[in-house]
Amino acid sequence: MEGVDHLAHERQKALFDVDEMKVVWAGSRHALEVSDRMSRLVASDPAFRKDNRTMLSRKELFKNTLRKTAHAWKRIIELHLTEEEASKLRSFVDEPAFTDLHWGMFVPAIKGQGTDEQQQKWLPLAYKMQIIGCYAQTELGHGSNVQGLETTATFDPKTDEFIVDSPTLTSSKWWPGGLGKVSTHAVVYARLITDGQDHGVHGFIVQLRSMDDHMPLPGITVGDIGMKFGNGAYNTMDNGVLRFDRVRIPRDQMLMRVSEVTREGKYVMSNVPRQLVYGTMVYVRQTIVSDASCALSRAVTIAMRYSAVRRQFGSQNGSPETQVIDYKTQQSRLFPLLASAYAFRFVGEWLKWLYTDVNQRLQASDFSTLPEVHACTAGLKSLTTSVTADAIEECRKLCGGHGYLCSSGLPELFAVYVPACTYEGDNVVLLLQVARYLMKTVSQLPSGKKPVGTTSYMGRVEHLMRCTSNVQRAEDWLKPNVVLQAFEARAARMSVACAEKLSEFANPEEGFAELSPNLVEASAAHCQLIVVSKFIEKLQQDIPGKGVKGQLEILCSVYALHLLHKHQGDFLSTGSITPKQASLANDQLLSLYAKVRPNAIALVDAFNYTDHYLGSVLGRYDGNVYPNLYEEAWKDPLNDSVVPDGYHEYIRPMIKQQLRNARL
Amino acid sequence: MEGVDHLAHERQKALFDVDEMKVVWAGSRHALEVSDRMSRLVASDPAFRKDNRTMLSRKELFKNTLRKTAHAWKRIIELHLTEEEASKLRSFVDEPAFTDLHWGMFVPAIKGQGTDEQQQKWLPLAYKMQIIGCYAQTELGHGSNVQGLETTATFDPKTDEFIVDSPTLTSSKWWPGGLGKVSTHAVVYARLITDGQDHGVHGFIVQLRSMDDHMPLPGITVGDIGMKFGNGAYNTMDNGVLRFDRVRIPRDQMLMRVSEVTREGKYVMSNVPRQLVYGTMVYVRQTIVSDASCALSRAVTIAMRYSAVRRQFGSQNGSPETQVIDYKTQQSRLFPLLASAYAFRFVGEWLKWLYTDVNQRLQASDFSTLPEVHACTAGLKSLTTSVTADAIEECRKLCGGHGYLCSSGLPELFAVYVPACTYEGDNVVLLLQVARYLMKTVSQLPSGKKPVGTTSYMGRVEHLMRCTSNVQRAEDWLKPNVVLQAFEARAARMSVACAEKLSEFANPEEGFAELSPNLVEASAAHCQLIVVSKFIEKLQQDIPGKGVKGQLEILCSVYALHLLHKHQGDFLSTGSITPKQASLANDQLLSLYAKVRPNAIALVDAFNYTDHYLGSVLGRYDGNVYPNLYEEAWKDPLNDSVVPDGYHEYIRPMIKQQLRNARL
């Protein structure tokens, strides 16, 4: 059956141009071409195979990743790949590795916080990987609260050095990726102390290991923090622990772009505005949102294809059973996730624009949009990663029992993805930050201050507090303006309700703490509105290709209406819509699924993932699932012998009733 | 710091008698005593240590479980443990193993479906473990739809044998635990064929392996199906694949209690009613619900204790930071899960009663309650396992980054628990079965048929369709009757709404399929009502112990009101309550958290779990988390050497710019 496409009949049903949809998903023809070329390069290179990953022991797994990382770097050099190509190649290798932190955190930290001289000294070394760096911020006792870090860097004017120290157990650096076994250097965050004065947390470049033999330098204790969730997943990464016993570094290894310590030990702020760090923050969060759409679309691809292959129940007179994708319960769980993948893709694209915009403003010393940008990116990071983590697990369940096998690819995808809910800001903490901004925005409305960017709808708060939805038939819910008004009314009313409750407290901080569960819900409503509105904005653009825009319009409606149904409590309790209108929205949603159905397989084909990247027997492009599941099983090490290791010691004595005398 | 109780100040706050609560949780003083003794027996025996589990390769892991299983059996024999004690001991060993299926499925199948002679022949062998059995039902292509199984057992009158055969690849048995490497026998489900006629699926006892050397018998292909979700988790189990190539078994190995094949090849039904199998079904589902309360309470214990240890933000003037358990956002996520654990415990207890009741009725050939019992147990299995799976992951997230470490115990607990959502009936398929029963119940109301058991509230449907809640103040939501009426009204109205929509379809089956997403929601509402009402019923009993009943009343309110808030869309769209009342419910819920807070640690102590069973550094009884997390890290095999394996081949050539010539 090699070469047969078991899903061909599904692909023929599609009512739109899949190749044009690929361009839309990738962002541009150029991006599609690069992605396509890099993913094939990785998929066709046996050095990058990953199907055995879940069977390796920790040590084998880690060594194997070192090998792949070196091979990838070698190919990058040999093929003279551009930065864009190299980054794509690394992402298609699809294994967390120390290089993620070297390129994603160490290099940007030096670029963002280092002086020109520091950049000239360190960046060329990092670019050639003559040094390997990581980002040592979080500590055993300190994560979200960066200002609570305990590591100290005390200036010693006698020697012109900083003394980096871990004064307590809880001050041990804990979690930094690449730290445990590989990195030669780290950007270490520590409390700067000069002349007994604590200036708060600053970054320092610290060499950790000898460049000769890789041994930790004197005063440095470093190691791996142990096994993490999943079989492969992040266990390919050496997340590390690090303790300093009065380690001395030269003064010029403090990152001094924003503030510096002089030879005399004076702490001086430079004229570079602190707000510059926000550029990096927007960039990182944009990457996370884009990663979310990636992980979500992978999971959806696997579940969608397998749902078209899997048949269960419904056989009549010997006909084949029903494809599970034809069950409305399957559709009502899976199609909204497909729509969410597209929604997150487009909001991620918009964040790329936002990053450019913020950078231009920063260059011009315009910091006016920063608070709104901070709130909006925090909220979108939280929303997209939470939804994606849950959605991967939902896709796994949608594959029934077989989704529990590692060969489905979904357990690993889940385990490798979920930390995104915690790193770069815990998702609930981030929603509380959004809430603070929303409460501030509401409180300033009476003074006439115009809300900007994603909160500009708040400028119409009076209208939104009293408007009613004019939906009368299910089809009315297909109108973007109708949807948008309902989401705006809900979000505005939830924020205003929180603000009113807050004003009853004498102590606003106490009120904020007491009401925080409500505030989190108001933030979520605001963030959902952003994603819906950016999807709608996307559809106002010109989108070429037969049927492409039409499909996206359907998905946009599915996305918005499934949210409306899921959170109808919000919409109804705020009176933004009536129970009858909520019911019509749900009717419309169910009937949209019938429109998605014929296009479902083509809509996941448009993500253009190779079988290598998907890493899933259930999600194979050709749908030839069962023979391959069967073959995959025999590769397990337990099948190396017919009679298992341990039979003679443990099973036979049991059966033969000789256990009493056995040594176990 | 050994021996110091870092959570002592939390325990002193408790306003109730923890020891008496332990009795309530365990179900009786006797049950508590047995559990306590068995859990300590396991915890104190070094042969049962499990802290290294996630670092073992598949083969080591599996062999280790064989050893533990043999050791457990040896101890059971040596100590002359009762069946109750033995079963508890096995559960505290806390590792899925072939014995789960031997005792939990193979033995019950023979007891339930075997004739008296068959029981006399096979059960003594099984009880002594002279044979080891598994339960071979699901196939590669067939899970939920048991009637679609493809394996055949064809009677050959010439030799008085059945020929068991796997006619297709998709007919390969797939998933049975204990099958892959250990079981000598299996109860195999196959289509019975006599004289060319297909009589549907029946059970057969088939020997798989030689009792001499454990080699598979001729015609049998058997092996392990490969790695599953998680590091340890179900990888200690040899879930297997099995193919038959015309394997012959004697006629008397068909399980013939309900129907038999005579020597002449005639298929005859016995006078034993088929409904007897329902007894087993209720038993199995009761076990699953009870397991859910176990898994959920373990996860909650870990998250609760660590939330009391972990501090973050809120430090003022050098005071310690705030315990994260004091944040309302943490409470609003964690306390409802604590309440759910208790709720599931009590509904599980009620299911034990139901099992006795059903068995008594079956003995008396009273099958009248069976449809309702089937629907109710299906729904409770679905509800409790879905909630528990999600809750474990939520508890993991509530532990922040450290929850992602295997040493937190939560990744493993999640991976080992989630299959419960799929096995013994996919949770969504089960809710659709509930929905069928609900629709039937509603349709029979006009004829005056009185709904029974958990659906008896439907008998008051006219009242429930028009009643209004008389809640005026937040405290009104503390009244059980008020809560009950809101849940009954919501459930009844959702069912009736579905029934009305269904009646618009000419073809009821088509209608059922189209409306299935709505039907699933109606079923969920019904199931939540059951759990709430059983919690309330529990509180009508006499419950001794200072403050114990008071605590449970608070938890019962938390359970009901958090459901009400989470699903307020249902309550509002059905008009069961008003938006104002929904808001008061949420206010009441938030203020209840303050009452739970001082008792939070004692309420998880009442589960009486040993540190061994919890298997979590974060959930340690003494709260001494950080030094132990730190120590745990160094045990990872990656820390065996300071310079990692692979440095010379892959890292050094990279740093030294010698990669071009390297062989990778």
Side-chain angles (χ1 to χ4, degrees):
Chain A
M1 301 290 268
E2 272 307 308
V4 175
D5 181 358
H6 294 254
L7 292 173
H9 61 291
E10 289 289 345
R11 298 191 162 106
Q12 281 153 11
K13 286 184 200 163
L15 300 165
F16 69 97
D17 183 334
V18 181
D19 287 328
E20 286 298 322
M21 189 66 91
K22 287 183 181 176
V23 176
V24 174
W25 177 262
S28 70
R29 269 174 221 287
H30 167 77
L32 174 61
E33 186 277 324
V34 174
S35 273
D36 189 65
R37 187 156 40 84
M38 288 303 117
S39 66
R40 285 167 200 275
L41 187 70
V42 172
S44 64
D45 187 338
F48 291 128
R49 69 174 274 211
K50 59 182 187 182
D51 55 336
N52 60 342
R53 186 165 54 190
T54 59
M55 301 173 209
L56 302 178
S57 72
R58 178 84 206 275
K59 269 174 149 171
E60 291 165 341
L61 184 69
F62 183 70
K63 188 175 177 183
N64 193 39
T65 300
L66 292 181
R67 181 186 56 74
K68 287 190 193 182
T69 311
H71 183 70
W73 185 232
K74 189 181 175 188
R75 296 299 287 152
I76 288 165
I77 297 167
E78 283 171 352
L79 298 170
H80 305 288
L81 297 187
T82 64
E83 211 177 301
E84 182 191 11
E85 289 168 333
S87 156
K88 279 281 171 201
L89 182 140
R90 273 193 294 268
S91 81
F92 286 120
V93 170
D94 190 34
E95 247 174 44
F98 63 90
T99 40
D100 301 351
L101 289 303
H102 177 82
W103 295 110
M105 301 293 284
F106 181 71
V107 167
I110 296 173
K111 277 166 102 170
Q113 298 160 47
T115 60
D116 289 347
E117 299 99 82
Q118 287 177 319
Q119 295 192 36
Q120 276 158 32
K121 174 177 175 183
W122 294 99
L123 288 180
L125 295 168
Y127 285 148
K128 289 189 197 160
M129 300 212 77
Q130 287 178 288
I131 61 174
I132 301 172
C134 65
Y135 187 88
Q137 179 180 301
T138 55
E139 297 175 354
L140 188 52
H142 311 275
S144 294
N145 183 13
V146 178
Q147 295 314 317
L149 294 176
E150 293 180 82
T151 304
T152 51
T154 309
F155 183 63
D156 179 358
K158 275 176 262 158
T159 61
D160 199 22
E161 290 171 319
F162 291 106
I163 305 165
V164 185
D165 196 50
S166 309
T168 61
L169 182 77
T170 46
S171 75
S172 308
K173 292 294 172 187
W174 191 270
W175 275 117
L179 167 66
K181 292 284 144 182
V182 179
S183 292
T184 59
H185 290 68
V187 170
V188 172
Y189 290 85
R191 316 196 72 80
L192 169 64
I193 294 167
T194 62
D195 200 19
Q197 205 190 336
D198 185 334
H199 303 283
V201 174
H202 290 70
F204 301 83
I205 298 176
V206 183
Q207 182 175 349
L208 305 175
R209 290 181 168 90
S210 153
M211 301 309 294
D212 294 327
D213 59 8
H214 210 62
M215 289 297 286
L217 296 183
I220 282 176
T221 306
V222 63
D224 185 274
I225 58 169
M227 288 294 287
K228 289 145 289 185
F229 203 163
N231 310 64
Y234 261 91
N235 291 306
T236 57
M237 179 76 89
D238 54 331
N239 294 92
V241 47
L242 169 64
R243 288 182 61 80
F244 299 100
D245 181 12
R246 301 185 61 78
V247 172
R248 290 178 168 266
I249 58 167
R251 181 170 55 90
D252 68 2
Q253 286 179 213
M254 170 177 160
L255 291 170
M256 304 219 210
R257 188 170 180 203
V258 172
S259 57
E260 64 173 320
V261 172
T262 63
R263 178 64 194 91
E264 296 73 34
K266 239 184 98 184
Y267 179 70
V268 189
M269 302 295 294
S270 77
N271 56 7
V272 176
R274 278 178 175 260
Q275 288 92 333
L276 276 183
V277 296
Y278 281 93
T280 317
M281 187 202 68
V282 177
Y283 177 76
V284 171
R285 290 185 178 163
Q286 172 257 308
T287 318
I288 293 178
V289 171
S290 157
D291 287 350
S293 70
C294 246
L296 178 51
S297 56
R298 282 171 77 174
V300 168
T301 302
I302 295 168
M304 194 72 80
R305 288 185 182 156
Y306 182 58
S307 295
V309 169
R310 182 72 170 176
R311 293 170 179 273
Q312 206 76 187
F313 292 111
S315 166
Q316 283 168 342
N317 309 321
S319 67
E321 293 175 294
T322 306
Q323 289 170 284
V324 300
I325 196 177
D326 284 325
Y327 289 104
K328 290 283 168 183
T329 44
Q330 195 85 354
Q331 294 177 5
S332 70
R333 295 161 74 195
L334 187 48
F335 291 175
L337 301 181
L338 172 70
S340 302
Y342 278 93
F344 294 174
R345 192 69 175 185
F346 298 142
V347 82
E349 209 169 67
W350 172 74
L351 280 176
K352 273 183 206 163
W353 168 84
L354 188 68
Y355 173 59
T356 320
D357 183 65
V358 163
N359 268 351
Q360 282 171 356
R361 288 172 190 269
L362 288 175
Q363 301 300 332
S365 290
D366 168 9
F367 309 127
S368 63
T369 64
L370 280 182
E372 188 269 326
V373 165
H374 179 267
C376 150
T377 56
L380 290 175
K381 183 274 180 186
S382 175
L383 168 69
T384 56
T385 57
S386 287
V387 169
T388 297
D390 291 348
I392 296 169
E393 173 61 8
E394 182 74 352
C395 285
R396 195 191 62 71
K397 292 203 185 90
L398 284 165
C399 292
H402 299 346
Y404 191 62
L405 285 171
C406 286
S407 56
S408 77
L410 290 165
E412 281 307 280
L413 191 56
F414 182 75
V416 85
Y417 189 75
V418 287
C421 297
T422 311
Y423 63 55
E424 289 295 318
D426 174 89
N427 280 353
V428 172
V429 174
L430 289 178
L431 286 182
L432 287 172
Q433 293 177 6
V434 176
R436 265 189 204 280
Y437 183 71
L438 291 175
M439 291 306 100
K440 201 172 166 191
T441 304
V442 173
S443 73
Q444 291 176 339
L445 287 175
S447 71
K449 188 172 177 191
K450 249 196 146 39
V452 293
T454 55
T455 52
S456 52
Y457 70 100
M458 290 278 200
R460 288 176 281 115
V461 70
E462 286 188 28
H463 167 69
L464 292 174
M465 290 304 288
R466 53 183 163 71
C467 66
T468 54
S469 173
N470 52 16
V471 166
Q472 292 184 319
R473 301 165 312 145
E475 302 85 74
D476 291 338
W477 279 116
L478 297 175
K479 297 175 192 159
N481 283 339
V482 167
V483 167
L484 215 47
Q485 183 189 286
F487 274 82
E488 286 178 349
R490 166 214 186 197
R493 292 176 191 194
M494 288 176 79
S495 277
V496 168
C498 283
E500 281 170 1
K501 283 206 168 190
L502 259 181
S503 67
E504 292 166 16
F505 286 80
N507 178 343
E509 275 312 302
E510 194 192 311
F512 196 87
E514 282 299 313
L515 297 174
S516 55
N518 300 3
L519 287 162
V520 163
E521 291 174 0
S523 294
H526 170 69
C527 296
Q528 288 167 5
L529 164 63
I530 300 177
V531 183
V532 168
S533 65
K534 294 304 162 192
F535 204 149
I536 290 173
E537 277 178 23
K538 171 78 187 179
L539 295 176
Q540 286 159 356
Q541 296 172 15
D542 186 33
I543 300 175
K546 184 199 144 217
V548 171
K549 193 169 188 167
Q551 287 306 312
L552 293 175
E553 281 164 352
I554 292 170
L555 291 175
C556 182
S557 293
V558 167
Y559 180 71
L561 296 181
H562 108 275
L563 279 181
L564 192 151
H565 180 63
K566 191 172 169 188
H567 300 278
Q568 62 169 323
D570 290 354
F571 289 88
L572 293 174
S573 67
T574 55
S576 305
I577 62 173
T578 65
K580 176 70 189 156
Q581 290 169 331
S583 169
L584 290 173
N586 196 36
D587 292 347
Q588 183 57 59
L589 178 62
L590 293 186
S591 68
L592 282 171
Y593 293 153
K595 296 199 175 177
V596 174
R597 171 63 188 92
N599 301 289
I601 297 301
L603 283 167
V604 300
D605 285 349
F607 304 141
N608 198 42
Y609 294 139
T610 64
D611 279 348
H612 173 277
Y613 185 58
L614 279 183
S616 168
V617 175
L618 303 186
R620 288 171 63 97
Y621 181 84
D622 68 5
N624 193 22
V625 168
Y626 295 119
N628 286 287
L629 259 185
Y630 188 80
E631 239 175 77
E632 210 54 39
W634 298 102
K635 295 180 188 163
D636 192 274
L638 265 194
N639 289 324
D640 288 351
S641 61
V642 178
V643 173
D645 197 15
Y647 164 71
H648 289 282
E649 300 96 311
Y650 311 122
I651 300 177
R652 194 180 162 82
M654 193 182 277
I655 297 171
K656 300 298 179 192
Q657 312 289 296
Q658 296 162 341
L659 214 52
R660 270 176 197 275
N661 312 315
R663 281 206 190 178
L664 301 174
Chain B
M1 303 288 270
E2 271 309 305
V4 174
D5 181 359
H6 294 256
L7 292 173
H9 61 291
E10 289 289 344
R11 297 191 164 105
Q12 282 155 9
K13 286 185 202 164
L15 301 165
F16 69 99
D17 183 334
V18 181
D19 287 327
E20 287 298 322
M21 188 66 91
K22 286 183 182 177
V23 177
V24 174
W25 177 262
S28 70
R29 267 173 223 289
H30 167 77
L32 174 61
E33 186 279 322
V34 174
S35 272
D36 190 65
R37 188 157 38 86
M38 288 303 118
S39 66
R40 284 167 201 275
L41 187 70
V42 172
S44 63
D45 187 338
F48 292 128
R49 69 174 273 214
K50 59 182 187 182
D51 56 334
N52 59 344
R53 187 164 55 191
T54 58
M55 299 172 209
L56 302 178
S57 72
R58 179 83 205 276
K59 270 173 146 172
E60 292 165 339
L61 183 69
F62 183 69
K63 188 175 176 182
N64 193 40
T65 300
L66 292 181
R67 182 185 57 73
K68 287 191 192 182
T69 312
H71 184 69
W73 186 232
K74 188 180 176 187
R75 297 298 288 149
I76 288 166
I77 297 167
E78 284 171 350
L79 299 170
H80 305 288
L81 298 187
T82 64
E83 211 178 301
E84 183 193 11
E85 291 168 333
S87 155
K88 279 281 172 201
L89 182 140
R90 273 194 292 271
S91 81
F92 287 122
V93 171
D94 190 34
E95 247 174 43
F98 63 90
T99 40
D100 300 351
L101 288 305
H102 177 81
W103 295 110
M105 300 293 282
F106 181 70
V107 167
I110 294 173
K111 279 167 101 167
Q113 298 160 46
T115 60
D116 290 347
E117 299 99 83
Q118 287 177 319
Q119 295 192 34
Q120 277 157 32
K121 173 174 175 186
W122 294 99
L123 289 180
L125 295 169
Y127 286 149
K128 290 189 196 158
M129 299 212 80
Q130 288 178 287
I131 61 173
I132 299 172
C134 65
Y135 186 87
Q137 179 179 300
T138 54
E139 297 175 354
L140 188 52
H142 311 275
S144 295
N145 183 13
V146 178
Q147 296 314 316
L149 294 177
E150 292 181 82
T151 304
T152 53
T154 308
F155 183 62
D156 180 356
K158 274 177 265 164
T159 59
D160 198 24
E161 292 171 318
F162 292 105
I163 305 166
V164 186
D165 196 50
S166 309
T168 59
L169 181 78
T170 47
S171 75
S172 308
K173 292 294 172 187
W174 192 268
W175 275 116
L179 166 65
K181 293 285 144 183
V182 179
S183 291
T184 60
H185 290 67
V187 169
V188 172
Y189 290 85
R191 318 196 71 79
L192 169 65
I193 294 167
T194 64
D195 201 19
Q197 207 190 333
D198 184 332
H199 303 284
V201 174
H202 289 70
F204 302 82
I205 299 177
V206 184
Q207 184 177 346
L208 305 175
R209 290 181 167 90
S210 155
M211 300 309 295
D212 294 327
D213 60 8
H214 210 62
M215 289 295 287
L217 296 182
I220 283 175
T221 306
V222 63
D224 185 275
I225 58 169
M227 288 295 286
K228 289 146 288 186
F229 203 163
N231 310 65
Y234 261 91
N235 291 307
T236 58
M237 179 75 90
D238 53 333
N239 294 91
V241 48
L242 169 64
R243 288 182 61 80
F244 300 101
D245 182 9
R246 300 184 61 78
V247 172
R248 288 179 169 267
I249 58 167
R251 181 170 55 89
D252 68 2
Q253 286 180 211
M254 170 176 160
L255 292 170
M256 303 222 212
R257 187 169 182 203
V258 171
S259 58
E260 63 171 321
V261 172
T262 66
R263 175 63 191 92
E264 295 73 34
K266 241 185 94 183
Y267 179 70
V268 190
M269 302 295 296
S270 78
N271 54 8
V272 176
R274 278 177 175 258
Q275 289 90 335
L276 278 182
V277 296
Y278 281 93
T280 318
M281 187 200 69
V282 177
Y283 177 76
V284 170
R285 288 184 179 162
Q286 172 257 306
T287 319
I288 293 178
V289 171
S290 156
D291 287 351
S293 71
C294 246
L296 178 51
S297 55
R298 283 171 77 173
V300 167
T301 303
I302 296 168
M304 195 72 79
R305 289 185 182 155
Y306 182 57
S307 295
V309 170
R310 182 73 170 176
R311 293 170 179 274
Q312 206 76 184
F313 291 111
S315 165
Q316 283 169 341
N317 309 323
S319 67
E321 293 174 295
T322 306
Q323 289 170 283
V324 300
I325 197 178
D326 284 325
Y327 289 104
K328 290 283 169 185
T329 44
Q330 194 86 354
Q331 295 178 3
S332 71
R333 294 161 74 194
L334 186 49
F335 291 175
L337 301 180
L338 172 70
S340 302
Y342 278 92
F344 294 174
R345 192 69 174 185
F346 298 142
V347 82
E349 210 170 67
W350 172 74
L351 280 176
K352 273 184 205 163
W353 168 84
L354 187 68
Y355 173 59
T356 321
D357 183 65
V358 163
N359 268 350
Q360 282 171 355
R361 289 170 189 268
L362 289 175
Q363 300 299 333
S365 290
D366 168 8
F367 308 128
S368 63
T369 63
L370 281 183
E372 189 268 325
V373 166
H374 179 267
C376 150
T377 56
L380 291 175
K381 183 274 181 185
S382 174
L383 169 70
T384 56
T385 57
S386 287
V387 168
T388 298
D390 291 348
I392 297 170
E393 172 61 10
E394 182 74 352
C395 285
R396 196 191 62 71
K397 291 204 186 90
L398 284 165
C399 293
H402 299 346
Y404 190 64
L405 284 170
C406 286
S407 55
S408 78
L410 291 165
E412 281 306 280
L413 190 58
F414 182 76
V416 86
Y417 188 75
V418 287
C421 297
T422 311
Y423 63 54
E424 290 294 318
D426 174 271
N427 280 353
V428 172
V429 174
L430 290 177
L431 286 182
L432 287 172
Q433 294 176 6
V434 176
R436 264 188 205 282
Y437 183 72
L438 291 175
M439 291 306 100
K440 202 174 164 189
T441 304
V442 172
S443 73
Q444 291 175 337
L445 287 175
S447 72
K449 188 171 176 190
K450 253 203 142 37
V452 293
T454 55
T455 52
S456 52
Y457 71 98
M458 289 279 198
R460 290 176 280 114
V461 69
E462 284 188 28
H463 167 68
L464 292 173
M465 290 304 289
R466 55 185 162 70
C467 67
T468 53
S469 172
N470 52 17
V471 166
Q472 293 183 318
R473 300 167 313 146
E475 302 85 73
D476 291 337
W477 279 116
L478 297 175
K479 298 174 191 160
N481 285 338
V482 166
V483 166
L484 215 47
Q485 181 188 288
F487 274 83
E488 286 179 348
R490 167 215 187 197
R493 292 175 193 197
M494 287 176 81
S495 277
V496 168
C498 282
E500 280 170 1
K501 281 207 172 190
L502 259 182
S503 67
E504 292 166 17
F505 285 81
N507 177 342
E509 277 311 302
E510 195 193 307
F512 196 86
E514 282 298 313
L515 297 173
S516 55
N518 300 2
L519 287 161
V520 163
E521 290 173 0
S523 295
H526 170 69
C527 298
Q528 288 167 4
L529 164 63
I530 300 177
V531 183
V532 168
S533 65
K534 295 303 162 191
F535 205 149
I536 289 173
E537 276 178 25
K538 172 80 187 175
L539 295 177
Q540 286 157 358
Q541 298 172 15
D542 185 35
I543 301 174
K546 182 199 145 215
V548 170
K549 193 168 188 168
Q551 287 308 311
L552 293 175
E553 282 165 351
I554 292 170
L555 290 176
C556 182
S557 293
V558 167
Y559 180 70
L561 296 180
H562 108 275
L563 280 180
L564 193 150
H565 180 63
K566 191 172 168 188
H567 300 278
Q568 63 168 322
D570 290 355
F571 289 88
L572 294 174
S573 66
T574 56
S576 306
I577 62 172
T578 65
K580 175 71 190 159
Q581 291 169 331
S583 169
L584 290 172
N586 196 37
D587 292 347
Q588 183 56 61
L589 178 61
L590 294 187
S591 69
L592 283 171
Y593 293 153
K595 296 198 174 177
V596 175
R597 172 64 189 90
N599 301 288
I601 296 302
L603 283 167
V604 301
D605 284 349
F607 304 141
N608 199 41
Y609 294 138
T610 63
D611 279 348
H612 172 275
Y613 186 59
L614 278 183
S616 168
V617 175
L618 303 186
R620 290 171 62 96
Y621 182 84
D622 68 4
N624 193 20
V625 168
Y626 295 119
N628 286 287
L629 259 185
Y630 188 80
E631 238 175 78
E632 211 52 39
W634 297 102
K635 295 181 187 163
D636 193 275
L638 265 194
N639 289 325
D640 289 351
S641 60
V642 177
V643 174
D645 197 16
Y647 164 72
H648 289 283
E649 301 96 309
Y650 310 124
I651 300 175
R652 193 179 162 84
M654 195 183 274
I655 297 171
K656 299 300 179 191
Q657 313 288 297
Q658 294 159 342
L659 214 53
R660 268 175 199 273
N661 312 315
R663 279 207 194 178
L664 302 174

